[in-house]
Amino acid sequence: MSKMIPDLEGAFREFVPPRDAVLLELEQEARREGIPIIGPVVGQFLHILARAMQAKQILELGTATGYSAIYLARACEGLKGKVVTLEKDERMAKRAQANFKKVGLEHRIEIRVADALAEVTTMKGPFDFIFLDIDKEGYLPLLSHCHRLLKTEGLIVADNVGFHAANNFNRALFQSPQWKSVHLLSFLPYHSPEKDGLCLALRT
Ligand SMILES: C[S@@+](CC[C@H](N)C(=O)[O-])C[C@H]1O[C@@H](n2cnc3c(N)ncnc32)[C@H](O)[C@@H]1O
């Protein structure tokens, strides 16, 4: 019988992707201030997904200090793509904007200070890729807008779907014929929290 690696979580901590000084600084800041960010594993995951599908138009809901938006912007930089990111907290948005300048990506990212639930109602697509990371109660009300804003075969990635407040979204997505979805229960070093669910859904 095949044996598992003992201390699987410890072993997988070896495979946390490397990152530059700015991302490391944002991680330290997030730990200090209790800002929930996706961390390097999910960052790399988003980067790989966006690159693999050649996403050019990316929408992010929930910016915080801009950590995840930097991963997304770097993923579409080669295609001269664009990330639109929505943040309701003005002070966070200012910090994110400063971080985008610090990494030289301010031309690639448009940050809007807005409540995502209101802002999406007037937005026009099509986007190739949407990353959901706002308060989890907001996921379900956003779902129909995500469908309208995504191109056919566009992708949603939703973070923190292990949270109780995301469960109505999980169920709706799983049951909907408009999406082909997968829910991954994951171990994610440096993610907030480290054991959580991630969801990927393709717009049909
Ligand atoms: C989990 S943090 C985002 C972390 C970020 N995506 C990262 O990994 O670097 C969630 C952010 O979404 C913002 N937020 C929550 N609900 C929102 C809403 N309805 N509209 C816009 N922003 C919202 C919060 O202010 C917070 O900064």
Side-chain angles (χ1 to χ4, degrees), residues 90 112 136 150 160 162 176 198:
E90 196 168 349
R112 299 190 194 166
K136 312 314 152 194
L150 273 176
N160 303 125
S176 170
L198 277 175

Side-chain angles (χ1 to χ4, degrees), residues 31 36 44 57 66 115 143:
R31 269 196 297 278
Q44 185 91 317
Q57 299 299 326
D115 184 330
L143 192 54

Side-chain angles (χ1 to χ4, degrees), residues 57-136:
Q57 299 299 326
I58 300 176
L59 175 62
E60 176 182 70
L61 309 175
T63 321
T65 54
Y67 182 88
S68 50
I70 291 172
Y71 274 99
L72 291 168
R74 285 179 172 162
C76 68
E77 172 79 336
L79 294 172
K80 302 197 190 323
K82 184 177 170 191
V83 178
V84 177
T85 182
L86 309 183
E87 172 56 56
K88 69 177 179 186
D89 179 334
E90 196 168 349
R91 278 178 310 171
M92 274 295 175
K94 278 202 178 119
R95 287 171 65 172
Q97 187 63 49
N99 290 327
F100 301 152
K101 281 211 177 103
K102 211 185 262 183
V103 293
L105 283 169
E106 70 275 23
H107 60 292
R108 214 40 77 211
I109 308 172
E110 177 190 339
I111 181 159
R112 299 190 194 166
V113 182
D115 184 330
L117 295 164
E119 186 72 9
V120 292
T121 62
T122 57
M123 285 180 80
K124 290 200 170 69
F127 288 93
D128 304 309
F129 189 109
I130 298 181
F131 177 51
L132 277 186
D133 199 15
I134 60 164
D135 293 344
K136 312 314 152 194

